Amino acid sequence: MADAAAAGAMERGNIIEVRGLSKHFPIKRGILKHTVGWVRAVDDVSFDVRRGETLGLVGESGSGKTTVLRLLARALEPTDGAIRFRLADSEVDMAVAEKEVLRAARRRIRVVFQDPESSLNPRMTVRRIIGEPLVVNDKLKGEALDARVKSLMALVGLQPEQLNRYPYAFSGGQRQRIGVARALALDPEVLLADEPTSALDVSVQAQILNLLLELQRELGLTVIFVTHDLSVIRHMSDRVAVMYLGHFVELGDRQQIFDKPLHPYTEALFSGIPQPNPHRPLKRIVLEGDIPDVAQVPTGCPFHTRCPYKQDRCESEPPLLAEVGNTGRQAACHFAAELDLKGEQELLS
Amino acid sequence: MAPERPLLEVNDLRTYFFTSLGTVRAVDGLSFSVPLQRIVGIVGESGCGKSVAARSILGIIPPPGRVVSGSMHFDGDQGLLDLAALDPHDEVYRKTRGKEISMIFQEPMSALSPVHTVGDQLVEALMLYDEQLTKEDARDRCIGLLRQVGIPSPETLIDAYIFELSGGMRQRVLVAMAISGEPKLLIADEPTTAIDVTIQAKVLDLLRHLHEEKRMSMLFITHNMGVIAELAHEVIVMYLGTVAEQGSVNDIFDNPQHPYTQALLESIPGIGVEPKTTLQAIEGSVPDPYRRPPGCPFSNRCPSFKAGTCDAALPPLYRVSESQTARCFLLEGNEVVAEAAPPPEVSADG
Ligand SMILES: Nc1ncnc2c1ncn2[C@@H]1O[C@H](COP(=O)(O)OP(=O)(O)O)[C@@H](O)[C@H]1O
Ligand SMILES: Nc1ncnc2c1ncn2[C@@H]1O[C@H](COP(=O)(O)OP(=O)(O)O)[C@@H](O)[C@H]1O
Ligand code: SF4
Ligand SMILES: [Mg+2]
Ligand SMILES: [Mg+2]
């Protein structure tokens, strides 16, 4: 089933092509707010997203995941790069699109946020929260609006008769359903989900993951799913991208990556997932030191200060994200082809 | 097995908050014990009373809350004490808190002062526990502690402020503070929830190492079943202020008996679960503390719910095996370890 879907996605080609995307934030100091340095939150990133697939974006906090999503939605101005969307009825470069084009594209590209608590206006009823994009964009009102809001509520598993309630009357999981309904209101093609379950309990997380999988199947959505939780990435993604300090360090098919990662950082991440199995804990790869400050990304390979396989050239020569052999997979490591890294099964003791 | 007296034995503990909206029974009939030199894990979803239970043991429940009944016997340097019967401001309690029982809090920033250096805070704690200690000796001990928790160049870091440290380093400073009095019992309340996997891995390794080296008993609180499997010897699964099930780590993961434990384990994605398939979610969410369901606290979400039984009364605690007990009517017929006691009639002023 999943394989057939992935093959289908391949035939339908790319819906997003990102090239050389960067976002550098200035660090300002002093009364005169001089720029004293730059945070390279996203640094020269290129990748494709296939129509109908879920691309999982994983990495530790501060690695630039949210910044990538905000750039894709053009909630942030990129420092550099191109973001081509091949939407059903138009092609746009989100990096440079203006006014009308941007507005039209934003209807098709919607975001679900991490924290349902703070992303929903507490003074608005559910009718207004979900209906707002419909009012603003489609000038819907009255009964037509109510009908559409109710059908969206039913779609995400909320009771339509609760449309006059305020967010506080809902549980965390239900609030996230409200956020999903709002994102779906304008029939988007692409859903950008930023840690949509990170603030939820595990039992409720399962409900929201199920909902997103079901909606994707039914509506044929393309999803970029961002999280720091590797078990969630594994469950949701067709392909996976691993971020470290503003860079993509590995990108490829989910199963292949979990079976045998090509980048040392991916291997270390896998080895750190606490397994709910007391008999088979993971063999841990303990990394040197903490994640460096993004304002001072190490020279050469950004991972070299912590990498257990580092060689001299890693300190000066930055490895580029490139295909490894003829695997169809990409990794940014000088030794990706030679290292024999362990996948999750091999890491189990 | 000769029954050795546990380091801590909590029996039918109830800690309530008397708010203007009503009474929150945050901890409601909680019983468990921490044997010497063991790691006991408490797992449960948010709001089930894990932090309130930990704070009850330390005697730091803020008003409008208080421990309303039950006992907490601690076998420490001052003999066997019932902490529940002591005034939290009592001299004996104060000597126990921090030194013999210490805690790593969930929010690292709230436990550390932003205007004092790491050294100032640690030295102060050390001198509090050991009045003979000179300032110079305390500083040396402090550097030793920082080294012990894996902080590189502690001679420099001792003069840093908290905001200058990374998340992982802050967590290590917290651990150093918590073990500075050489506690008999270390309570760790979600110490790795706010940090990243590669750092979490290190903090867990550190805690395990300290436990082994110092033979320190630990009460480890988390919502993460993976962390529990990795660290705990015994497991307590909490739901709405009470124990749903408890047993050895193998009991809980290999042979869970309570529908809540089973559902919790089935709802997590991971190795062994086919990607992109439907997960076994638990219906609904943890109830509002003001609107608990009648009978079994899990009754309104339970897939095995039996009307007339589960919503009629709180189930007693049944024995599953020598090491395992569960509070669920499905186990009717098994030996009853403890009858369900009704909540006491109490009011805000006791
Ligand atoms: N508006 C901003 N101004 C300055 N720095 C920012 C801003 N937004 C994000 N950053 C920085 O960019 C880096 C990447 O952040 P983010 O994309 O939020 O990471 P993630 O989502 O992976 O945790 C972080 O170091 C963050 O502090
Ligand atoms: N200061 C307080 N006032 C009122 N209710 C509280 C207070 N602290 C905790 N509670 C309530 O007690 C219950 C248990 O909380 P807590 O122990 O923090 O849960 P957990 O740590 O398991 O997430 C919750 O319903 C919470 O709302
Ligand atoms: S390039 Fe060098 S430092 Fe970077 S991941 Fe590969 S081996 Fe490690
Ligand atoms: Mg983020
Ligand atoms: Mg808590």
Side-chain angles (χ1 to χ4, degrees):
Chain A
M1 247 298 291
D3 283 347
M10 206 107 65
E11 277 159 31
R12 283 178 303 233
N14 296 336
I15 182 165
I16 310 172
E17 291 170 1
V18 173
R19 295 294 175 265
L21 184 62
S22 295
K23 179 67 193 180
H24 299 169
F25 294 106
I27 306 167
K28 296 193 193 286
R29 289 276 151 73
I31 309 169
L32 297 175
K33 297 276 175 229
H34 286 303
T35 299
V36 296
W38 296 89
V39 172
R40 297 168 177 268
V42 174
D43 204 14
D44 194 11
V45 158
S46 301
F47 62 96
D48 297 336
V49 184
R50 297 167 187 163
R51 194 175 299 277
E53 78 169 349
T54 299
L55 176 69
L57 199 53
V58 70
E60 295 177 282
S61 56
S63 58
K65 305 179 298 296
T66 297
T67 305
V68 168
L69 281 201
R70 298 187 67 203
L71 289 169
L72 292 186
R74 201 43 198 286
L76 275 178
E77 292 296 320
T79 306
D80 200 3
I83 311 167
R84 266 186 300 278
F85 275 83
R86 300 187 195 288
L87 299 170
D89 48 13
S90 64
E91 276 196 34
V92 256
D93 183 347
M94 282 299 266
V96 294
E98 282 183 52
K99 292 191 182 104
E100 283 309 303
V101 181
L102 190 58
R103 226 169 60 100
R106 277 187 178 145
R107 291 186 56 137
R108 322 295 299 157
I109 304 161
R110 310 295 293 181
V111 188
V112 179
F113 297 96
Q114 163 168 7
D115 190 0
E117 219 68 29
S118 56
S119 57
L120 303 181
N121 185 335
R123 280 184 297 271
M124 283 193 187
T125 60
V126 173
R127 177 208 310 262
R128 275 191 64 195
I129 291 171
I130 299 177
E132 194 177 46
L134 295 164
V135 174
V136 173
N137 287 277
D138 292 352
K139 312 278 178 280
L140 274 193
K141 53 182 181 225
E143 275 177 28
L145 179 63
D146 279 7
R148 178 79 181 124
V149 168
K150 283 182 179 174
S151 84
L152 283 163
M153 289 179 77
L155 183 68
V156 299
L158 290 167
Q159 291 171 349
E161 58 278 12
Q162 299 186 335
L163 86 170
N164 287 321
R165 298 208 182 171
Y166 291 87
Y168 71 82
F170 294 86
S171 69
Q174 287 172 322
R175 280 184 215 143
Q176 196 52 288
R177 289 176 196 270
I178 297 172
V180 173
R182 179 183 160 96
L184 293 178
L186 297 172
D187 283 325
E189 287 175 62
V190 179
L191 207 58
L192 307 174
D194 192 3
E195 311 249 11
T197 61
S198 298
L200 304 176
D201 281 316
V202 282
S203 70
V204 179
Q205 162 174 291
Q207 297 170 9
I208 299 297
L209 296 182
N210 286 344
L211 173 69
L212 290 170
L213 285 171
E214 196 179 297
L215 287 171
Q216 182 180 28
R217 268 194 298 267
E218 266 173 38
L219 307 175
L221 293 167
T222 302
V223 179
I224 302 187
F225 194 106
V226 164
T227 174
H228 66 280
D229 186 329
L230 284 140
S231 305
V232 172
I233 276 289
R234 184 184 181 284
H235 193 72
M236 300 301 286
S237 315
D238 298 302
R239 290 192 311 138
V240 173
V242 182
M243 284 195 81
Y244 189 75
L245 290 179
H247 296 263
F248 275 33
V249 296
E250 175 153 12
L251 175 64
D253 174 77
R254 178 241 315 138
Q255 197 58 49
Q256 288 176 355
I257 290 189
F258 276 85
D259 284 348
K260 189 161 200 50
L262 291 174
H263 195 283
Y265 178 61
T266 316
E267 183 190 46
L269 273 186
F270 288 169
S271 86
I273 317 170
Q275 293 297 318
N277 179 346
H279 309 295
R280 302 196 66 189
L282 287 169
K283 290 177 219 126
R284 184 133 306 145
I285 295 165
V286 178
L287 295 179
E288 282 286 313
D290 277 3
I291 307 169
D293 186 341
V294 205
Q296 285 152 23
V297 177
T299 55
C301 171
F303 188 52
H304 87 256
T305 53
R306 303 171 77 202
C307 179
Y309 307 98
K310 171 200 103 152
Q311 307 276 329
D312 285 348
R313 69 185 272 217
C314 305
E315 287 174 26
S316 53
E317 221 179 294
L320 296 175
L321 185 73
E323 186 170 354
V324 179
N326 297 321
T327 55
R329 301 170 57 189
Q330 296 177 307
C333 167
H334 295 307
F335 307 104
E338 295 141 53
L339 292 171
D340 185 24
L341 303 177
K342 291 189 169 64
E344 60 175 6
Q345 288 294 339
E346 285 173 288
L347 284 165
L348 289 173
S349 45
Chain B
M1 270 199 302
E4 199 176 344
R5 183 188 282 166
L7 179 62
L8 175 72
E9 189 164 17
V10 172
N11 198 14
D12 202 32
L13 178 71
R14 293 170 200 267
T15 305
Y16 294 179
F17 289 88
F18 302 92
T19 74
S20 55
L21 294 171
T23 303
V24 177
R25 287 147 55 188
V27 168
D28 200 27
L30 180 67
S31 305
F32 68 92
S33 55
V34 182
L36 273 173
Q37 304 185 356
R38 302 287 276 179
I39 302 179
V40 175
I42 298 188
V43 67
E45 296 180 280
S46 56
C48 71
K50 304 183 293 298
S51 296
V52 171
R55 287 174 174 269
S56 302
I57 297 166
L58 278 180
I60 48 167
I61 294 294
R66 69 189 168 84
V67 172
V68 297
S69 69
S71 64
M72 298 183 278
H73 284 99
F74 180 70
D75 193 8
D77 289 344
Q78 302 171 84
L80 188 66
L81 298 174
D82 179 4
L83 301 175
L86 287 179
D87 182 321
H89 303 289
D90 190 291
E91 179 67 18
V92 179
Y93 214 145
R94 279 203 318 213
K95 281 194 175 147
T96 310
R97 179 167 44 229
K99 177 153 174 53
E100 286 192 74
I101 307 177
S102 71
M103 178 148 155
I104 304 171
F105 289 90
Q106 199 167 342
E107 317 82 13
M109 285 317 274
S110 69
L112 294 165
S113 156
V115 296
H116 295 100
T117 64
V118 169
D120 288 346
Q121 300 184 55
L122 261 173
V123 166
E124 190 188 343
L126 283 171
M127 292 180 59
L128 202 69
Y129 302 141
D130 184 348
E131 282 149 12
Q132 323 293 332
L133 209 60
T134 65
K135 224 171 168 158
E136 287 70 50
D137 289 347
R139 196 177 157 92
D140 286 347
R141 280 256 290 274
C142 172
I143 290 174
L145 271 171
L146 292 173
R147 184 167 294 122
Q148 209 168 27
V149 298
I151 285 178
S153 42
E155 296 83 357
T156 332
L157 191 122
I158 190 170
D159 295 317
Y161 290 90
I162 294 305
F163 64 83
E164 299 178 282
L165 307 181
S166 67
M169 286 300 138
R170 271 180 210 158
Q171 213 63 24
R172 280 166 197 271
V173 170
L174 277 183
V175 174
M177 284 189 86
I179 63 169
S180 61
E182 311 225 322
K184 293 197 164 56
L185 175 64
L186 176 65
I187 304 177
D189 189 1
E190 312 234 17
T192 62
T193 299
I195 56 182
D196 283 305
V197 272
T198 59
I199 311 299
Q200 162 171 292
K202 290 189 181 193
V203 173
L204 293 181
D205 281 351
L206 168 66
L207 289 174
R208 196 191 350 253
H209 174 79
L210 288 171
H211 159 76
E212 278 160 13
E213 191 182 87
K214 302 192 175 288
R215 314 302 318 156
M216 190 169 54
S217 304
M218 265 171 57
L219 186 62
F220 193 98
I221 297 174
T222 175
H223 65 275
N224 186 323
M225 278 291 195
V227 172
I228 285 283
E230 221 173 86
L231 212 59
H233 302 121
E234 334 263 340
V235 182
I236 296 154
V237 182
M238 270 186 86
Y239 192 79
L240 276 190
T242 188
V243 175
E245 180 161 14
Q246 62 191 11
S248 72
V249 69
N250 291 354
D251 292 335
I252 296 299
F253 284 87
D254 298 344
N255 185 33
Q257 292 296 306
H258 197 287
Y260 178 61
T261 315
Q262 294 168 352
L264 211 50
L265 286 169
E266 278 168 12
S267 65
I268 8 183
I271 299 179
V273 180
E274 181 60 25
K276 306 206 85 166
T277 57
T278 305
L279 294 165
Q280 290 286 308
I282 307 178
E283 257 181 62
S285 53
V286 178
D288 180 327
Y290 299 106
R291 264 173 280 160
R292 304 164 68 101
C296 168
F298 191 52
S299 57
N300 65 336
R301 303 174 75 194
C302 182
S304 311
F305 173 75
K306 265 191 298 180
T309 306
C310 303
D311 51 0
L314 186 67
L317 193 66
Y318 293 102
R319 181 167 301 290
V320 177
S321 70
E322 182 71 34
S323 56
Q324 188 179 5
T325 56
R327 195 183 281 288
C328 168
F329 284 119
L330 291 174
L331 294 168
E332 217 158 11
N334 290 25
E335 177 200 338
V336 171
V337 182
E339 288 293 349
E345 293 290 328
V346 282
S347 61
D349 28 78

